[in-house]
Amino acid sequence: MLAEFGIVLGKIAFVLFLILNGAGILTWVERKQGALISDRIGANRASILGIKLWGLINSLADAMKLAFKEDYSPPRGLHFLHSIAPAIAMFPVFLTFAVIPFGPPIELWGHHIRLQILNLDIGVLFILAFGSIAVYGSMIAGWASNSKYALLGGMRTSAQMISYEIILGLALIGPILVFGTMEPAAMVNAQNTLLWGWLPRWGIVVQPLAFLLFLPAALAEGKRAPFDMPEGESEIIGYFTEYSGMRWGMFFLGELAEIVVLSAVITTIFLGGYHIPYLYDAVEQAGQAGFHFPWGSYWALGDWTVAILRIIAFALKVAFLMWFQIQVRWTFPRFRYDQLMRVSWREMMPAALLNIGITGLILMLLKN
Amino acid sequence: MIDVKPVNRSKLTIIQNSYYPELLKGLGVTMRHFFGNLARHTGRAIGLKTKDPMVTILYPEKTRHIAPRWRGRHRLMTRPDGSPRCVACMMCETACPDDCIKITAGESPDGRIEKYPVAFEIDLLRCCFCGLCVEACPEDAIRMDSGYVALGGVTRSEFYLDRDFLLHNSEMTTHAQFPGELDGMVVKRVDLSKQSGGH
Ligand code: SF4
Ligand code: SF4
């Protein structure tokens, strides 16, 4: 009992460590990547005793600056709501990671450990549900500030997020139909089978349209460019106008954590989770762990090697997606707000419905 | 009759309208920069002689090249005896489009010269660095070759330069006297007593 408790705590600590550090490092990655893309140098001035670590110290300096800034709350705003809104915006993002399997089940000291905090059979719904709670954070932030601009920003944000949540949900119905489950762990395992004997049955292979819809919708949900009107960094006033210091930093952290979490979600549902094509463990392939290539050759590997390779694969996929999201942010121009709404309701939504119809039809035909 | 000029607006092709191909093209551009620069930086870090891809000049450590005709902060020239060359003819004050030069003329103690500036003030906050004052001066008494690039200050009065400041604090180099040395901003004091010419 105590051991179980310890294991769960350990997993939670590990995941939090991963997300928080991931988000922290992303502030640096985002700057440096943007600098490289636009032939600049990027942040490189902060140093501790001359050690600059290619600008990584700048992130520390930023955190320190935020911590010491005045924590201003508008005198006529709703004080309580104003102070909890950043938390409401940030925590659902962290919670979403609870259902993500970040590695295969492992045996350690006689315990069977799933590398997933919570194995819910409605995991996908859990992800969507907590994704939508984040809307409240920005809406409440706008409302509690008692400022016209923040309120308008909050409304703009919630309209955008609600519009794209629908796309997220509809796009995920395709994979749910194909894999026949809503349980993330089962979804991941379903992706380790082969199509026609050679093509990994990843979500992106069997549901390409759903992927093309999910990715932009996820970017919009995470308020990332090219859908970053809610913040509009310096140009338009957003819902956190009245925030300063670490409370503003929490919104920022939440947004960066969302990059990590979204990458993990996309990896889990569309990129085969922690699986590497043709790599199976002992349970899946009758005692023969290792690579089973479609042309018949076989490369035996130990059980632990397989597990470690899989964890690395998951990390690499997530890292790739995070890199990709930042690349997108430095590439695409912003949508206009009406275009944003049009894309969501008049282009992506019919496409998502079409995807569900086609998927259903094909599945029905295959069954008969 | 009103002339109408029809503007040809090319319609977006289907490929452009479907958005994704164009997005991929854009991603191609940024990725080319990203990986190219990453490779060049890595190359430099391990000692290869790859090209420095950055356009940024790391300012306080490096300064940009100043062209010989750069118009920096003004300075007033002196005669070999140290008195100002200016004869208070007011040409520069008249030429200045921003009205930022203010000269108070007085009778010169030197018998050969009629007037000299008792006060000569330039308000740099109004100055647009057009150089017309330099062009206008018949005596080559005012120059803008002081090599000062970073003009910064915290109070307004720091930008209000008076005669003595212009005469003494700005005796900074110049390409005319030291050809080539201004490259990379070598700032030198000019020993005007060694100058020939003048009156
Ligand atoms: S540079 Fe132009 S604006 Fe400045 S003092 Fe000379 S004439 Fe006036
Ligand atoms: S600086 Fe030249 S133009 Fe101006 S008053 Fe003196 S002599 Fe005349």
Side-chain angles (χ1 to χ4, degrees):
Chain A
M1 183 60 213
L2 208 61
E4 302 286 303
F5 192 62
I7 288 170
V8 170
L9 272 189
K11 285 193 283 194
I12 292 175
F14 178 74
V15 164
L16 275 184
F17 177 81
L18 210 77
I19 301 181
L20 285 172
N21 280 296
I25 287 180
L26 274 181
T27 60
W28 173 75
V29 173
E30 176 139 39
R31 282 180 183 167
K32 280 294 185 187
Q33 195 172 336
L36 281 180
I37 289 168
S38 40
D39 295 355
R40 289 179 289 113
I41 290 175
N44 68 344
R45 287 285 154 179
S47 70
I48 296 178
L49 303 175
I51 300 163
K52 290 179 175 172
L53 286 178
W54 307 282
L56 260 175
I57 304 289
N58 271 67
S59 305
L60 282 183
D62 277 349
M64 217 138 91
K65 180 198 82 174
L66 286 178
F68 284 108
K69 258 177 126 173
E70 183 191 359
D71 182 14
Y72 178 77
S73 167
R76 291 179 207 186
L78 302 168
H79 205 75
F80 176 66
L81 286 180
H82 185 269
S83 44
I84 62 163
I88 301 179
M90 192 172 78
F91 283 108
V93 181
F94 289 95
L95 278 179
T96 314
F97 210 100
V99 294
I100 306 286
F102 50 90
I106 48 174
E107 300 284 342
L108 205 60
W109 301 303
H111 290 282
H112 182 76
I113 303 176
R114 283 172 167 282
L115 292 184
Q116 180 186 18
I117 295 175
L118 184 67
N119 187 33
L120 273 186
D121 44 6
I122 51 154
V124 174
L125 281 188
F126 182 90
I127 293 170
L128 291 174
F130 277 95
S132 45
I133 284 184
V135 180
Y136 289 99
S138 34
M139 189 64 224
I140 289 175
W143 175 256
S145 296
N146 193 16
S147 144
K148 290 186 207 70
Y149 301 110
L151 181 59
L152 287 174
M155 279 160 57
R156 208 166 52 222
T157 309
S158 47
Q160 169 179 337
M161 288 177 81
I162 289 169
S163 306
Y164 278 88
E165 224 146 73
I166 293 170
I167 312 296
L168 281 186
L170 288 180
L172 282 187
I173 292 184
I176 292 173
L177 282 176
V178 171
F179 299 130
T181 173
M182 280 208 223
E183 190 184 330
M187 256 184 174
V188 168
N189 283 330
Q191 294 184 62
N192 201 25
T193 51
L194 296 179
L195 212 57
W196 305 306
W198 60 275
L199 194 61
R201 204 157 147 264
W202 283 7
I204 188 171
V205 175
V206 289
Q207 283 287 318
L209 186 56
F211 177 73
L212 286 186
L213 292 169
F214 188 84
L215 185 65
L219 287 178
E221 187 70 10
K223 306 186 278 286
R224 297 283 302 166
F227 306 98
D228 58 346
M229 273 78 87
E231 286 125 35
E233 272 146 38
S234 51
E235 304 90 331
I236 37 177
I237 297 186
Y239 57 90
F240 48 47
T241 304
E242 303 290 343
Y243 281 88
S244 60
M246 213 51 206
R247 280 194 210 288
W248 176 84
M250 277 165 85
F251 281 117
F252 189 60
L253 196 66
E255 195 191 312
L256 289 169
E258 202 148 341
I259 300 180
V260 185
V261 171
L262 274 180
S263 303
V265 170
I266 293 174
T267 304
T268 303
I269 297 174
F270 290 103
L271 295 185
Y274 48 76
H275 284 300
I276 304 173
Y278 316 130
L279 180 66
Y280 302 95
D281 65 13
V283 185
E284 287 155 0
Q285 200 58 261
Q288 291 180 311
F291 280 102
H292 294 259
F293 293 108
W295 51 88
S297 52
Y298 164 59
W299 182 21
L301 291 172
D303 260 353
W304 270 102
T305 323
V306 171
I308 288 170
L309 276 182
R310 284 181 167 177
I311 294 175
I312 292 176
F314 182 80
L316 283 183
K317 284 175 193 176
V318 170
F320 169 77
L321 280 171
M322 297 196 302
W323 170 83
F324 182 76
Q325 287 191 44
I326 293 179
Q327 193 77 17
V328 163
R329 180 224 188 287
W330 286 94
T331 305
F332 300 144
R334 209 173 271 155
F335 279 98
R336 216 170 50 213
Y337 201 74
D338 63 318
Q339 291 171 335
L340 176 98
M341 284 292 155
R342 202 184 63 216
V343 165
S344 164
W345 291 98
R346 280 177 45 194
E347 278 153 33
M348 289 169 83
M349 177 122 128
L353 290 174
L354 196 73
N355 184 42
I356 297 173
I358 293 176
T359 310
L361 206 66
I362 292 178
L363 285 178
M364 202 179 74
L365 289 178
L366 283 181
K367 218 171 208 164
N368 292 335
Chain B
M1 276 297 285
I2 300 170
D3 265 349
V4 177
K5 188 181 174 208
V7 177
N8 269 334
R9 284 184 184 239
S10 53
K11 274 226 163 103
L12 294 181
T13 60
I14 278 221
I15 296 196
Q16 284 167 335
N17 250 334
S18 64
Y19 206 58
Y20 271 106
E22 297 296 308
L23 285 187
L24 291 180
K25 264 192 219 166
L27 267 178
V29 172
T30 49
M31 283 193 196
R32 201 171 63 229
H33 276 259
F34 177 74
F35 287 113
N37 288 337
L38 197 63
R40 278 176 221 130
H41 273 300
T42 320
R44 286 170 71 81
I46 60 174
L48 296 179
K49 282 209 183 73
T50 40
K51 188 168 140 271
D52 185 2
M54 296 300 134
V55 292
T56 317
I57 298 170
L58 287 170
Y59 169 60
E61 290 96 32
K62 286 192 195 128
T63 41
R64 60 185 281 193
H65 169 78
I66 296 176
R69 295 178 61 182
W70 175 274
R71 295 196 291 266
R73 200 169 71 189
H74 308 69
R75 69 187 176 114
L76 286 179
M77 310 289 288
T78 49
R79 293 164 203 274
D81 65 358
S83 60
R85 254 193 221 175
C86 173
V87 294
C89 68
M90 312 286 176
M91 292 277 214
C92 51
E93 193 179 319
T94 315
C96 179
D98 297 338
D99 213 4
C100 56
I101 305 182
K102 185 166 178 289
I103 303 166
T104 315
E107 193 176 332
S108 170
D110 185 335
R112 297 169 298 165
I113 303 162
E114 211 174 306
K115 295 191 287 181
Y116 84 113
V118 178
F120 192 112
E121 287 148 345
I122 295 181
D123 185 355
L124 276 190
L125 289 177
R126 297 180 65 164
C127 176
C128 64
F129 297 89
C130 62
L132 288 180
C133 46
V134 180
E135 300 284 325
C137 182
E139 298 286 324
D140 191 17
I142 186 165
R143 288 189 184 172
M144 295 178 77
D145 50 9
S146 50
Y148 277 104
V149 185
L151 295 168
V154 286
T155 56
R156 279 167 179 269
S157 55
E158 278 167 57
F159 295 94
Y160 205 73
L161 313 180
D162 61 12
R163 188 193 71 175
D164 288 337
F165 187 92
L166 288 166
L167 274 173
H168 302 301
N169 292 42
S170 298
E171 288 176 28
M172 293 297 175
T173 99
T174 131
H175 57 91
Q177 293 133 345
F178 296 91
E181 284 204 16
L182 204 67
D183 303 359
M185 242 186 89
V186 180
V187 176
K188 276 232 170 159
R189 223 151 232 293
V190 177
D191 188 354
L192 284 166
S193 55
K194 294 210 181 103
Q195 295 274 309
S196 56
H199 292 267

